[in-house]
Amino acid sequence: QVQLVESGGGLVQAGGSLRLSCAASGRTSDWHAMGWFRQAPGKEREFVGTITWSGGSTYLTDFLKGRFTISRDIAKNTVYLQMNSLKPEDTGVYYCAVETMKVSADIVRRSFEYWGQGTQVTVSS
């Protein structure tokens, strides 16, 4: 029932901008936040940032602050990743994911439980 669809990727020149979208469906009460991740060719997947559903609080990896911004549209069940001043090293597949928060045996568990298919971002020099 859960579906995450990323879109907005493409080919841009260095210094350009893109806005990625992640449309979510099947949301339940244990959804805490949405996360963005990326994976460059030949590299491990890395964390980009998160935004909470309830308050819209954001957290961005330090090296992306000032260039990337995460936002959400509650009415559309959609989160966004605005990417400015893109660099060739930003090239990769960008994924959104659902961070759920659950309680089991009096232990609070958070995990990125659901993932989208990813959208390709290519930044040329």
Side-chain angles (χ1 to χ4, degrees), residues 29-81:
S29 61
D30 58 356
W31 285 27
H32 176 66
M34 297 295 295
W36 284 99
F37 297 79
R38 69 183 186 181
Q39 186 169 21
K43 296 183 179 180
E44 297 293 321
R45 182 173 58 196
E46 65 179 349
F47 175 76
V48 173
T50 59
I51 184 167
T52 61
W53 282 109
S54 60
S57 299
T58 59
Y59 175 81
L60 280 171
T61 302
D62 287 343
F63 66 89
L64 295 176
K65 291 180 179 178
R67 296 196 300 119
F68 287 18
T69 303
I70 298 176
S71 61
R72 81 205 196 289
D73 187 329
I74 297 296
K76 296 181 179 180
N77 288 318
T78 300
V79 296
Y80 305 95
L81 180 65

Side-chain angles (χ1 to χ4, degrees), residues 7-22:
S7 62
L11 174 64
V12 297
Q13 292 186 337
S17 299
L18 284 174
R19 189 183 74 162
L20 306 184
S21 299
C22 175

Side-chain angles (χ1 to χ4, degrees), residues 12-18 83-87 123:
V12 297
Q13 292 186 337
S17 299
L18 284 174
M83 306 185 296
N84 299 323
S85 301
L86 285 164
K87 305 174 181 179
V123 184

